Amino acid sequence: GDSVTQMEGPVTLSEEAFLTINCTYTATGYPSLFWYVQYPGEGLQLLLKATKADDKGSNKGFEATYRKETTSFHLEKGSVQVSDSAVYFCALSTNFGNEKLTFGTGTRLTIIP
Amino acid sequence: DTEVTQTPKHLVMGMTNKKSLKCEQHMGHRAMYWYKQKAKKPPELMFVYSYEKLSINESVPSRFSPECPNSSLLNLHLHALQPEDSALYLCASSQPWDGYQYFGAGTRLSVL
């Protein structure tokens, strides 16, 4: 079955540091890939997406590239801010009339001023 | 409008109570979802409605009863819950052919 493996957290960084959160997947066919972010006490927000190999999703300074050869979708940001502190979930959907999202376990990110 | 609105935000209920959670979206989405999220865990899918028909039930206990009165509304009726059902309940919506879903802020449920 489909699965998503995410970098174990928690991750603590200083403000303006470079961020990478690793995500790899296993799926049948050609999945769409997503990063969702959950701020404390809130629901999930779609951060970025990529629907085919070599696509780069980007939003709010975050980027992730769909790498089919390594089955990866790592999240990066060049300079993090305190406001980026949240839980980040990598997810996939196989889109074959199947509306299920498969989530990774989530990575808690804390940014220290 | 890209909002999914959930009410109430917080709910405390006893094990003998009957209550309902409500979810509303006005994005014209034809798929709607209920998820359960425990602390420090990813959301777990409970139910999916596609074109107002139940298409996925992830073996959820019958004390949870979903309802989709129309394409904009989704309810989750709760009866005789257990303390372990305490969690954040999230609603989401999408077009059935899209992979990504828009989530509401959730209802935080406590069962005493």
Side-chain angles (χ1 to χ4, degrees):
Chain A
D2 298 343
S3 67
V4 175
T5 302
Q6 250 183 272
M7 174 177 175
E8 287 288 328
V11 174
T12 302
L13 294 172
S14 298
E15 205 165 20
E16 300 183 2
F18 185 87
L19 168 71
T20 300
I21 300 178
N22 290 337
C23 172
T24 57
Y25 67 89
T26 303
T28 52
Y30 303 97
S32 295
L33 302 173
F34 312 95
W35 278 100
Y36 280 87
V37 58
Q38 187 171 30
Y39 297 103
E42 298 186 12
L44 276 70
Q45 298 177 26
L46 179 66
L47 181 59
L48 52 84
K49 64 181 175 75
T51 56
K52 61 183 187 299
D54 300 325
D55 268 2
K56 177 185 281 188
S58 61
N59 186 24
K60 299 181 181 179
F62 291 90
E63 292 183 340
T65 301
Y66 189 145
R67 301 286 187 202
K68 187 168 179 289
E69 64 276 13
T70 55
T71 62
S72 65
F73 193 55
H74 305 321
L75 182 68
E76 296 182 336
K77 186 174 185 182
S79 177
V80 293
Q81 305 301 312
V82 172
S83 57
D84 294 327
S85 298
V87 180
Y88 292 81
F89 291 98
C90 186
L92 69 81
S93 170
T94 49
N95 273 356
F96 295 128
N98 176 349
E99 301 101 334
K100 283 189 179 186
L101 272 176
T102 300
F103 286 97
T105 52
T107 301
R108 181 172 299 276
L109 174 66
T110 302
I111 307 301
I112 299 171
Chain B
D1 182 5
T2 57
E3 274 199 1
V4 176
T5 303
Q6 289 189 244
T7 55
K9 291 194 185 309
H10 301 275
L11 179 62
V12 179
M13 59 187 291
M15 289 190 285
T16 59
N17 292 159
K18 287 185 181 181
K19 297 286 186 182
S20 296
L21 310 185
K22 181 178 173 181
C23 174
E24 191 167 6
Q25 57 88 14
H26 295 288
M27 294 178 277
H29 289 167
R30 302 306 300 274
M32 296 186 76
Y33 311 77
W34 281 116
Y35 289 85
K36 174 182 177 181
Q37 187 180 25
K38 300 286 272 186
K40 301 186 178 181
K41 297 288 187 183
E44 298 173 28
L45 184 65
M46 301 174 71
F47 302 104
V48 181
Y49 274 83
S50 183
Y51 297 95
E52 296 90 69
K53 294 192 187 309
L54 184 65
S55 64
I56 297 177
N57 176 343
E58 292 286 20
S59 303
V60 178
S62 59
R63 58 186 183 268
F64 295 91
S65 175
E67 178 196 20
C68 189
N70 59 56
S71 60
S72 299
L73 283 175
L74 185 66
N75 298 320
L76 185 63
H77 303 297
L78 314 173
H79 173 56
L81 295 191
Q82 304 297 308
E84 60 265 29
D85 296 321
S86 298
L88 181 67
Y89 287 84
L90 294 164
C91 174
S93 72
S94 76
Q95 294 295 13
W97 55 84
D98 278 340
Y100 58 90
Q101 300 171 14
Y102 290 89
F103 283 80
T107 294
R108 190 161 299 281
L109 174 67
S110 297
V111 181
L112 304 179

